[in-house]
Each structure stands twice: as structure tokens, then as C-alpha cells.
Amino acid sequence: MRVNKKYSCLPAEEKGIHIINIRAIEDIGYDQHESTLLNSLSKNPDADCKYGLYFRDGKRKVDYILVYHYKKSSAGRTLARRPQQNDASVRSSRQEQPLPGKGVQLEMGDSEPHMDYHEDDKRFRREEYEGNLVEAGLELERDEDTKIHGIGFVKIHAPWNVLCREAEFLKLKMPTKKMYQINQTHGLLKKINSVIQKITEPIQPKVAEHKPQTVKRLSYPFSREKQHLFDLSDKDSFFDSKTRSTIVYEILKRTTCTKAKYSMGITSLLANGVYSAAYPLHDGDYEGENVEPNDRKLLCEEWASYGVFYKYQPIDLVRKYFGEKIGLYFAWLGVYTQMLIPASIVGIIVFLYGCATVDENIPSMEMCDQRNNITMCPLCDKTCSYWKMSSACATARASHLFDNPATVFFSVFMALWAATFMEHWKRKQMRLNYRWDLTGFEEEEDHPRAEYEAKVLEKSLRKEHKHKEMDKEKLTWKDRFPAYLTNFVGIIFMVGLTFAIVFGVIIYRISTAAALAISSTPSGRSSVRVTVTATAVIINLVVIIILDEVYGCIARWLTQIEVPKTDKNFEERLIFKAFLLKFVNAYTPIFYVAFFKGRFVGRPGDYVYIFHSFRMEECAPGGCLMELCIQLSIIMLGKQLIQNNLFEIGIPKMKKFIRYLKLKRRRSLDHEEHMKKKQRYEVDYNLEPFAGLTPEYMEMIIQFGFVTLFVASFPLAPLFALLNNIIEIRLDAKKFVTELRRPVAVRAKDIGIWYNILRGIGKLAVIINAFVISFTSDFIPRLVYLYMYSENGTMHGFVNHTLSSFNVSDFQAGTAPNDPLDLGYEVQICRYKDYREPPWSENKYDISKDFWAVLAARLAFVIVFQNLVMFMSEFVDWIIPDIPKDISQQIHKEKVLMVEVFMREEQGKLQMLETWKDKDKRKGENCNNHSPRLSRSRSGSLSSCHSYPLDV
């Protein structure tokens, strides 16, 4: 056991044992008796320190943990001669163990095995770094007597003076003694709010932080000079665990380790393997019979449980435990999920409208009517024969469920819904900023990343600059040009790879359709389209899921070689690349079906071929909208079910199990050690490290695209997104509370670049839905026929109007059907879907005037729809204020109250100065009343009277 290897962990005055004596025992080489000695000091030291939540004295709270690997040596120890030290210098001294080149080391012959050079280097860096932490005011305690063999832990505690100093540096807003009344609603609004509160009471979480507040403490950036303003009655709880860990992390980031010409903080030391992990501790266990109440347990019961899926989230408690950045993510996810409820209801109504009117849809009735006897041209060369249009009756009826006038209304509704959602979130965000005291918060420039500093150092050494001039160096665009070029080429290649895969799936569809058409069974030929569509979509789904993971890794690598300066720059660049690649990956197959399939087919007798053998595929007689709906639904549901849920549950469980097996192999066989209860930091070390919020946001942003971009073809998308998100919230909550190490709390007042991405998707959705309605659906051709060509003002004859005629004698050589009598009669004229001149016309098979009329109407609809909906969205954006009126009033009230507090303080100071002046005046008068002889005999007494105010 090496608990006291470097720092004090047991107060000498309490245990009656001099710390230097313990060091002396260790120096002599009696390591095997150290555990016996320390165990004799306390009957149950683990219980005294609450199993790792406190130092061994049971008083100092563990605010942060550093973890490192070490190699135990079974031979003798290296002796070192140290200068004599007194008690006061033990805690802050770095010379307890000699650094390289310090002290005289005596080797014990060959009995001491030479340690690996890299291990030595890491140990030296740790010693210097931890010494610098002690000089910064932190208190450390080492523990290598753990159940995890070869793993050492350094416990860090920030004392009160360090917390105050850093809180002032970080400008942390802390609650003052001053409390004020929050403005309450009056009259009718008050009654409505009370009714709403009573109705929603069963779905409110049972946590104190979620109850409505009537009073609020005035907050002010912490200042050591103005400590009297703050409520310091309980110093232990004034800075909560989240704030304490944030303060320690800031110290860890800026504390440097300069050995071997390195200048680095904790991020560099982690990257170079000097430390293997660094994390704050969870508040305690979340399950068990005798578990003490803590915030983690409360979150597990009221938030991270599937049994409370119907309740609101305790956002304030989430923020208190995890910090503002994670709190904002879950608040945004909650608002997004709530807003999906009205969208889902309207989507269901639109779908039910389609179901109710399917039997009244004249075009689908005409297609299903076998009396029309419409003979269609073959779908492929040679092997495909002529077919009856009535055989596509089911597809035509199903298309009406999603291709009806209500879908146009739903597209407009969803565009306005997206604008309303963004405005609602901005208002919610301002309320949270007010409640969390972030109204005046401005993000400061972060510390440079470890990789950036290493690159600058490498550049400086290459130019043979001195160490003191290294800070003047920085990376220019010339230094980053190879990385920029690699990024550009890499992204273009990845996008090209996505297009190539989609093209490969197209070839698969065409060839499979031709192969199935040769089938001798009529049932096989009739199900060709359904079989090809379903299998192609499943292939697309599998490829999308695989490429999503690959593109995530590639985006991270491309960002790393750019060497961004700060973590914020790194995160923004990573988000941009990952979103671009994953957006293209997820939506390229859908874009193909929506806008390209069936557009470049050609016509019978003059088809367009790929590789001179594969004919481009056509849309079904009812249009491509039904196929677009199938593609969208399978990809969306598959991604949500497999990637977002199964992967999120399965992969962390698998990683945890693998980590458990590795640790089990490394444990010693000592039964007593194995049965010992683990410390809190050991349990947390076995959890999965926190990897950031980018994956969580990314899956929701892609889902937001599915909900808004092609909603005209799939009105049920908001419903499936809502069902997924109800599970997603609790799944993410359970992961954060039980599966992950506690992340460092990060202050943030908004969701960052994700808001701009959401706005961009909302704008793009308007344009895409306009094109889907006008070009993919038959909405515009129906309107044109109804108002320009219909003889009786109805849709009768619409199907015949959209079909052109072809004389079978005009087939190219070798493309005619092998079995022209497959339908039982000889076919002279077959029909195909297009606007072309008939074979008996002078300009046979040329584009007809009807085509240009429909095209003009489509383009006009796109322009009108896009501008109208954009204007309505901007109007919604303008009419809804970003800051709620009551919050604006409260912020102004806080400023006025703060001015009053300082004015009173200044008045108090002036009164005190006046009092001192009066005392000084009276004292001077008393001195003047003394006799001259007394004044001469007591020289200096007069001057001492006048020196009184200066002393004060």
C-alpha cells in the first residue's frame, strides 16, 4: 500500500503520528508493513471516508480524480537523501521525492530492476505536475491500494480559499443574501395557470428544484472583496459538487508540466498516457437498500426510468448535477418532443383523411376499373411482356393515402411548425438563462488544445526559436494547407462514395427486376415491384448504418489533422463535417427516388440505357410518391430502432463487459482484497468515459430532417419521431446517470451551432416540400387537368390524359417482348406515362404542349409556395418575441436591485468614514487640551493621536 507515497492523507495532529516518520518508514524499504500501520490507525477507514467520496480524514471532499497506470516493483526501493523538512513544509513541498537531477540517488546493485524509460518519464511528469497542483493550492491524496491491480488514483480536494479565488477568476454568478419576489400573473392568467398546474401535477417530477418559485435570490459574480454580500452560513454547500469539479478542472487545464520541453495541461497528459483518466465523482450509488439520499439516486428515480416516461424532466436538477450544457440538451430535446405532439396529431388526421377518401378518388378508381382495358408497354426489354394497368390497382390506392390535397396543407403546416418550434425554443432558452443566472454570461476563449500546442512547439523547434519565443508562434493557413487539401479531397471522395453506392443499388434494382420478370409464375411477376423496392431499401438501410459509423470516424480524423486551436473550434469543425457526410449518406437514396427516378427513362423505342444493357427504371403508374414513402419510412424507422436505440444500449453494455473482463484478469487472487467494497472512484473508473454531446445532437438533427424535409410524402413521420423520442429521453438519461462517468460541468447559454443547422434544415424543408408536391406527386397535373382539360369539371379521364400511345411496330430491333401474346391477344398500341404526341401525329413521340403547360404550372407552384411559406415563417419569427416579457422585466428588476444594494453599501461606507472623522476630531480636541509640559515630557504622544486615522 502506498497511500502516503507523496502527500499527507492522515492529519498528524489527529492520529498522533508524525508524517515525516511515515515517510521515513517508507524510505527504509518496509512497504510491506505500511498497510498494517495505517490500518491500525482507524477501525474502518473506508466507512470514515464514505468509500472514496472523502479523503481518509473523512472531512475533505474529493472533487476530482486522476488515474494512472504504474508498475509495482517487488525488489528494494531507490534510496534518496533529502534535506530535513518541518511539518509546515510537507504539504506544499515538491521535494519529498527527488525529481530528475535532484538529490543523491544510491543504487542497490542489481537488486533494483531498471524501469522502462517511458514509465520513468511518465512518473517524473506526474511528480512535477502534481507538485504544481499543490503549489496552486489544491490538496492531493494518493491511493494505490485498490482492487484494480496496477492502477493508481490521485484524489484532489479544492480548499475554500482556492474555490473563492477561482470563482472570482471564472466570474461565477453566486446567490447573494438579497432575495426578491418574482412577478406573478394576475387576474385571468393567474386562474388559467393555477388550473394548468393542477391538471399537470400528476406528470410533474417529485423533486424540489422543479417546484414553481415565488422568490429568487439575487445573483452576482463572486468576489472575495464582497463576500459579505453572499450567504456563507454553510460554506460546505455554497459551492456544489458540479461547481467544485468545474473549478478543479480549470486549474488542471492551465497547470503546466514543463519536463522534456513540454508545456501541457491535463488534456496533453491524458493524450500522452501520463494519466489514463480524469473525472469528477458521482454523488454516490443510485441503487441499493442502504443508499444515502443523493442527487444521482433522485435523478435515477424521477428521470432515468422508463416508468416515468409520461412525466416532465427535472431540468433544473439535471443542470445542477451535470451542468448547463447537458441541461440545455435535455431541455431542447424535451421541447422538441413536446412540439411533436401537435404535429403528430395533424399528421394522423391527414393520413385518416386519405384513408377515408380513397374510395372516392376518381383516378385510382379508373386505374382499378378492368373495363378500361388499358394495355401498358413492357417495363423491360425482351423478357417483360405487356401488362394491364388494373394490375397496379393496389399501388394506386395506397398512393392516395399520401398523395391527396391534405398533404399540401400538411406541408405548409409543418413549415410553420418548424418556425414556431425555433421561436418557442429561443423563449425557453431565455427562461433557462434567467433561472440559471446566465443572462450576462459570455464565453471566454478556451485554453489551446494539447495537439495545437504540440504543433506550435514542433514548428518553433524546427525554426530553432528559443523557448521564450515559442508563444509568439502560431499556425497559419500555410501550415494547415496540407490538412485543408486532405479535408477537401476526403469529403469529395466520401460524397462520391455515397453516390456510387446509391448507383450500385440502382443497378441492383434494374437487374433484379429483369431477372424476376423471367419468372414463369404469374405471382412472381406480379410482385416484382414490391420485392425489388423492399430489398433495395433494406440494402440502403444497412449501408447507411455502416457508413454512418465510418463517416463519424473519418470526420473526427479530418478535424484532428486540421489541428484547431481550441476545443470549441474543434467541436464546430467536427460537427460541420460529420453533419455534411451523414446528411448526404442518409438522404441521397431518398433524393434519388423523389427527384430523379423515372425522369430520364426515355420512351418506348428510344429508351435510355446504362452500360448499353440496363434500362433506367420507371415510376409506378401511380407515381413515385408511394415508393418515396416506403423508402423514407423504412430508413427512418430502421435508423431509429437499430442505430439510435439498439446501438446505444448494446455497445455501452458490451464495452462495459469487455472492460470488466480485462479488470478481472488484472485483479489479484487475494480473497480478502476481492471481497473488500470498492471505493467510489474505482466504481466510476469502470464506467464508460463521456464522449460529448455531438452524437446525441446528431441523431436528433437527422431525425428532424426526416420529419420536415419530406413530410409531404410521409405524414406519419412526426408520430414515429415522437414515439422514438419518448424512449430516447429516458434512454439517454439512464446512460448519463448509470453508464457514463460524470462529465465535467460546462457553462453554456445556448445550444451553439446546432441552432443554425436547425434553421438551415427548416429553410431547406420549404424548398424540398415545394418540389416534392409539384414534381413527385400528381397534385399539379390533376389541377391542370381539372381547370384546363376536363370536359365536365371532374377528374374523369385524368388517367387517360396522362398516358401517351406507342405503336409496337416502332420498337427497336431486339427490344420487343419475346411473348407478345402473353395477354391472350395481339397488341397494336400500348400506353406509357408521359406527355408526348401519338404515333399518328406528324411529329410523333415529340413532347406535347400538355407537358409544357404542366411544367409551367409546377414551376409557378414552387415559386408561389416557397415565397408564401417563407413569408409566413418570417412573420411567425417576427411576431413572437425572442425574450418573454416577464423575463425581460425580471432581468431589469435584478439590475435595479443590484444597483440599490451597491448604493446602500456605498452609503454605509460614507457613514462609517464620517464616524471615523468625528472620532478623529474629538481625539484631536482631547490632545489639544493637554498641558504643554505634559506634551513635552511625553514626546510623540501628539503625533500618535494624529496617526490614529491612518492606522484605521
Side-chain angles (χ1 to χ4, degrees):
M1 177 173 177
R2 300 183 184 178
V3 177
N4 291 316
K5 183 176 180 181
K6 186 174 177 185
Y7 305 103
S8 162
C9 71
L10 291 171
E13 66 275 12
E14 290 184 14
K15 304 303 178 184
I17 294 180
H18 204 283
I19 298 175
I20 295 295
N21 293 340
I22 297 178
R23 289 295 318 154
I25 293 171
E26 185 178 335
D27 289 343
I28 294 172
Y30 290 93
D31 272 355
Q32 63 271 28
H33 300 298
E34 185 181 340
S35 59
T36 307
L37 173 64
L38 292 182
N39 287 335
S40 66
L41 301 178
S42 176
K43 292 182 179 179
N44 190 358
D46 290 343
D48 291 341
C49 66
K50 293 188 178 180
Y51 295 97
L53 288 174
Y54 288 82
F55 276 23
R56 288 288 176 180
D57 56 15
K59 296 179 180 178
R60 291 174 289 172
K61 185 177 176 62
V62 177
D63 298 319
Y64 219 87
I65 291 291
L66 300 179
V67 188
Y68 61 92
H69 293 272
Y70 70 93
K71 292 182 180 180
K72 284 187 177 180
S73 176
S74 58
R77 296 176 53 84
T78 302
L79 299 180
R81 294 177 183 170
R82 298 179 180 83
Q84 185 67 26
Q85 298 175 349
N86 56 22
D87 290 344
S89 65
V90 171
R91 213 183 92 195
S92 63
S93 174
R94 280 195 290 162
Q95 281 77 29
E96 245 181 24
Q97 275 193 317
L99 298 178
K102 295 182 181 180
V104 181
Q105 296 194 0
L106 303 176
E107 298 295 335
M108 296 181 64
D110 295 331
S111 61
E112 171 70 24
H114 293 286
M115 295 186 68
D116 184 79
Y117 168 76
H118 295 292
E119 291 297 325
D120 242 355
D121 183 52
K122 290 178 183 179
R123 179 167 55 85
F124 292 153
R125 292 192 205 174
R126 283 198 298 268
E127 288 172 355
E128 185 196 359
Y129 183 70
E130 290 165 15
N132 291 339
L133 292 179
V134 172
E135 287 185 352
L138 298 178
E139 297 176 4
L140 313 182
E141 181 178 270
R142 189 188 298 277
D143 186 5
E144 292 181 355
D145 181 28
T146 64
K147 293 183 71 175
I148 308 174
H149 180 72
I151 299 292
F153 297 89
V154 177
K155 295 174 276 187
I156 303 177
H157 168 77
W160 173 255
N161 61 325
V162 175
L163 293 173
C164 293
R165 181 190 72 205
E166 297 298 323
E168 185 173 350
F169 291 166
L170 296 173
K171 301 177 183 177
L172 295 180
K173 273 191 172 183
M174 304 303 293
T176 63
K177 296 176 183 177
K178 176 70 176 176
M179 301 183 71
Y180 68 94
Q181 195 79 17
I182 297 177
N183 294 338
Q184 301 294 322
T185 55
H186 301 285
L188 182 62
L189 284 176
K190 184 177 181 180
K191 294 180 179 178
I192 294 173
N193 287 339
S194 63
V195 171
I196 293 174
Q197 286 179 7
K198 289 180 180 178
I199 294 174
T200 59
E201 187 175 357
I203 59 175
Q204 300 291 345
K206 298 176 182 178
V207 296
E209 286 79 2
H210 199 75
K211 294 179 181 178
Q213 296 178 342
T214 56
V215 294
K216 185 178 184 291
R217 286 190 180 273
L218 194 63
S219 296
Y220 184 73
F222 188 82
S223 172
R224 287 172 289 180
E225 294 180 356
K226 294 181 173 58
Q227 287 194 34
H228 58 277
L229 295 177
F230 302 94
D231 184 13
L232 303 179
S233 56
D234 185 6
K235 291 186 177 181
D236 292 336
S237 61
F238 183 74
F239 295 106
D240 57 15
S241 59
K242 163 191 65 94
T243 308
R244 297 176 71 101
S245 62
T246 302
I247 288 173
V248 173
Y249 182 64
E250 287 296 323
I251 298 175
L252 293 176
K253 280 201 298 185
R254 71 164 184 259
T255 302
T256 57
C257 172
T258 56
K259 283 204 170 298
K261 296 184 181 180
Y262 283 95
S263 178
M264 54 182 69
I266 187 61
T267 52
S268 297
L269 296 172
L270 289 170
N272 290 309
V274 178
Y275 291 102
S276 57
Y279 51 89
L281 292 178
H282 279 291
D283 278 358
D285 292 324
Y286 59 89
E287 59 183 359
E289 297 179 358
N290 301 320
V291 176
E292 294 183 4
N294 58 71
D295 287 343
R296 188 188 187 194
K297 186 175 186 294
L298 188 58
L299 282 172
C300 188
E301 293 171 351
E302 294 295 328
W303 182 52
S305 172
Y306 295 110
V308 294
F309 72 92
Y310 59 93
K311 288 189 176 183
Y312 285 102
Q313 299 181 85
I315 292 298
D316 291 323
L317 185 60
V318 174
R319 172 254 179 180
K320 177 185 174 185
Y321 193 79
F322 291 110
E324 286 79 7
K325 192 170 185 178
I326 293 176
L328 281 172
Y329 163 70
F330 281 103
W332 173 83
L333 184 56
V335 169
Y336 172 46
T337 304
Q338 287 177 7
M339 290 293 292
L340 283 173
I341 295 175
S344 302
I345 294 172
V346 176
I348 292 172
I349 293 173
V350 169
F351 179 73
L352 293 177
Y353 171 81
C355 294
T357 58
V358 66
D359 292 329
E360 302 172 4
N361 183 39
I362 295 175
S364 62
M365 290 170 62
E366 287 184 348
M367 288 183 65
C368 294
D369 191 358
Q370 297 184 0
R371 293 173 296 178
N372 289 333
N373 197 27
I374 298 176
T375 303
M376 303 297 293
C377 295
L379 295 175
C380 62
D381 295 341
K382 293 186 180 180
T383 55
C384 298
S385 184
Y386 305 104
W387 56 285
K388 294 281 189 181
M389 173 169 272
S390 58
S391 64
C393 174
T395 305
R397 288 174 63 86
S399 296
H400 178 72
L401 301 178
F402 306 100
D403 187 6
N404 56 70
T407 56
V408 180
F409 157 77
F410 191 55
S411 299
V412 177
F413 170 82
M414 287 303 294
L416 298 179
W417 172 88
T420 308
F421 162 60
M422 301 305 296
E423 291 304 309
H424 179 43
W425 167 243
K426 280 196 289 188
R427 291 169 64 84
K428 177 70 172 179
Q429 193 170 253
M430 281 306 302
R431 289 188 182 277
L432 293 176
N433 285 344
Y434 165 70
R435 267 178 19 211
W436 296 349
D437 299 320
L438 294 170
T439 48
F441 171 70
E442 292 294 335
E443 293 185 15
E444 298 179 357
E445 188 175 358
D446 202 358
H447 299 281
R449 296 174 65 248
E451 292 80 359
Y452 180 85
E453 286 189 337
K455 201 77 174 178
V456 170
L457 175 64
E458 182 184 337
K459 180 181 177 182
S460 301
L461 295 176
R462 200 165 49 238
K463 291 186 175 182
E464 296 182 353
H465 279 194
K466 294 181 180 179
H467 183 71
K468 63 180 181 181
E469 296 176 354
M470 189 185 74
D471 294 335
K472 298 179 182 179
E473 285 294 328
K474 63 179 183 179
L475 298 183
T476 62
W477 70 270
K478 292 182 180 179
D479 300 318
R480 290 193 172 106
F481 180 75
Y484 290 154
L485 183 62
T486 306
N487 270 260
F488 178 77
V489 174
I491 290 174
I492 294 296
F493 175 76
M494 292 298 119
V495 172
L497 176 64
T498 304
F499 289 163
I501 291 173
V502 172
F503 184 74
V505 174
I506 294 171
I507 299 297
Y508 161 80
R509 293 160 67 110
I510 295 171
S511 57
T512 305
L516 292 176
I518 306 175
S519 174
S520 57
T521 59
S523 60
R525 289 196 296 270
S526 63
S527 61
V528 167
R529 193 179 296 276
V530 176
T531 305
V532 170
T533 301
T535 55
V537 172
I538 292 172
I539 292 172
N540 274 328
L541 174 62
V542 173
V543 170
I544 286 171
I545 291 174
I546 294 173
L547 286 184
D548 251 6
E549 303 301 320
V550 174
Y551 285 168
C553 298
I554 291 175
R556 180 168 290 275
W557 176 75
L558 289 175
T559 310
Q560 285 173 347
I561 63 175
E562 279 188 42
V563 198
K565 184 175 181 180
T566 62
D567 287 329
K568 184 179 180 182
N569 292 340
F570 180 88
E571 185 180 24
E572 289 180 349
R573 296 186 184 194
L574 173 62
I575 288 170
F576 173 75
K577 294 180 184 65
F579 174 74
L580 177 63
L581 293 175
K582 292 189 176 187
F583 182 89
V584 172
N585 181 42
Y587 295 114
T588 299
I590 301 172
F591 269 93
Y592 164 72
V593 174
F595 302 122
F596 296 99
K597 185 178 179 181
R599 309 289 174 194
F600 312 102
V601 177
R603 61 169 180 82
D606 189 21
Y607 283 116
V608 177
Y609 291 90
I610 303 175
F611 304 133
H612 303 288
S613 56
F614 295 107
R615 207 172 89 186
M616 290 294 290
E617 56 182 345
E618 304 176 37
C619 289
C624 279
L625 199 69
M626 185 61 198
E627 188 171 341
L628 176 62
C629 173
I630 295 172
Q631 185 105 0
L632 185 67
S633 59
I634 292 179
I635 291 177
M636 178 182 176
L637 296 177
K639 267 182 69 68
Q640 290 184 164
L641 181 64
I642 298 173
Q643 192 173 24
N644 297 357
N645 293 328
L646 292 182
F647 279 15
E648 281 195 23
I649 296 172
I651 291 179
K653 294 279 187 186
M654 185 174 65
K655 287 182 178 179
K656 186 177 179 180
F657 181 69
I658 293 172
R659 198 161 49 249
Y660 168 77
L661 292 178
K662 289 181 179 178
L663 292 173
K664 191 175 180 181
R665 291 176 186 173
R666 293 165 63 177
R667 284 178 186 164
S668 69
L669 300 176
D670 187 359
H671 180 71
E672 183 181 351
E673 182 183 357
H674 182 71
M675 295 303 293
K676 185 172 61 177
K677 183 177 178 179
K678 281 187 177 181
Q679 304 288 332
R680 176 79 263 153
Y681 42 84
E682 294 180 78
V683 177
D684 287 3
Y685 178 70
N686 293 332
L687 298 177
E688 187 74 13
F690 175 63
L693 289 171
T694 301
E696 313 298 335
Y697 273 114
M698 188 66 71
E699 64 183 71
M700 288 296 105
I701 297 297
I702 296 295
Q703 184 204 83
F704 182 78
F706 282 120
V707 169
T708 55
L709 291 179
F710 296 94
V711 74
S713 63
F714 190 39
L716 296 179
L719 175 63
F720 290 116
L722 173 64
L723 297 176
N724 174 79
N725 287 7
I726 290 173
I727 301 172
E728 181 73 22
I729 289 175
R730 307 303 164 180
L731 180 65
D732 283 349
K734 197 172 187 64
K735 180 172 69 175
F736 272 82
V737 174
T738 64
E739 299 288 339
L740 298 179
R741 294 174 190 161
R742 187 174 183 177
V744 179
V746 178
R747 288 188 298 168
K749 64 177 183 179
D750 52 41
I751 60 174
I753 193 175
W754 296 111
Y755 181 81
N756 297 327
I757 293 176
L758 284 169
R759 283 189 67 87
I761 291 177
K763 302 291 185 187
L764 184 62
V766 176
I767 301 171
I768 289 179
N769 281 305
F771 277 95
V772 168
I773 293 170
S774 60
F775 284 91
T776 309
S777 74
D778 282 338
F779 178 73
I780 299 301
R782 287 173 184 171
L783 285 181
V784 171
Y785 177 79
L786 185 65
Y787 293 106
M788 292 182 62
Y789 300 103
S790 177
E791 297 177 356
N792 52 9
T794 64
M795 292 301 296
H796 288 287
F798 170 73
V799 173
N800 187 60
H801 180 261
T802 59
L803 298 177
S804 299
S805 301
F806 178 74
N807 193 331
V808 298
S809 61
D810 293 331
F811 271 122
Q812 290 182 350
T815 61
N818 294 333
D819 187 8
L821 301 176
D822 184 58
L823 294 178
Y825 56 88
E826 185 178 358
V827 177
Q828 300 290 334
I829 299 293
C830 67
R831 310 294 297 275
Y832 61 98
K833 191 171 183 179
D834 204 349
Y835 291 101
R836 290 182 179 271
E837 298 289 343
W840 50 84
S841 171
E842 294 181 1
N843 303 315
K844 65 177 183 178
Y845 306 134
D846 285 350
I847 299 294
S848 65
K849 295 179 181 179
D850 298 343
F851 171 84
W852 300 112
V854 172
L855 179 62
R858 282 174 164 166
L859 294 175
F861 176 83
V862 168
I863 295 170
V864 172
F865 181 90
Q866 175 183 332
N867 287 281
L868 177 64
V869 175
M870 287 283 191
F871 170 76
M872 294 171 69
S873 300
E874 293 297 328
F875 179 74
V876 170
D877 191 356
W878 172 77
I879 201 172
I880 301 177
D882 293 346
I883 305 177
K885 186 177 180 181
D886 59 327
I887 297 299
S888 179
Q889 292 173 351
Q890 298 289 3
I891 293 172
H892 178 70
K893 186 177 181 180
E894 277 196 354
K895 292 179 180 178
V896 172
L897 289 173
M898 187 55 67
V899 171
E900 289 179 2
V901 169
F902 284 115
M903 288 297 292
R904 288 175 187 170
E905 188 179 357
E906 289 297 322
Q907 289 173 2
K909 288 180 180 179
L910 290 174
Q911 290 176 1
M912 189 178 295
L913 287 173
E914 289 176 0
T915 304
W916 285 348
K917 287 178 181 178
D918 291 341
K919 288 182 179 180
D920 179 39
K921 187 176 181 180
R922 288 196 298 270
K923 191 72 174 179
E925 290 175 356
N926 292 336
C927 290
N928 291 334
N929 291 333
H930 290 312
S931 62
R933 185 174 59 184
L934 182 61
S935 298
R936 285 193 299 270
S937 63
R938 296 184 180 180
S939 62
S941 62
L942 187 60
S943 62
S944 66
C945 289
H946 288 291
S947 67
Y948 171 72
L950 297 176
D951 294 337
V952 173

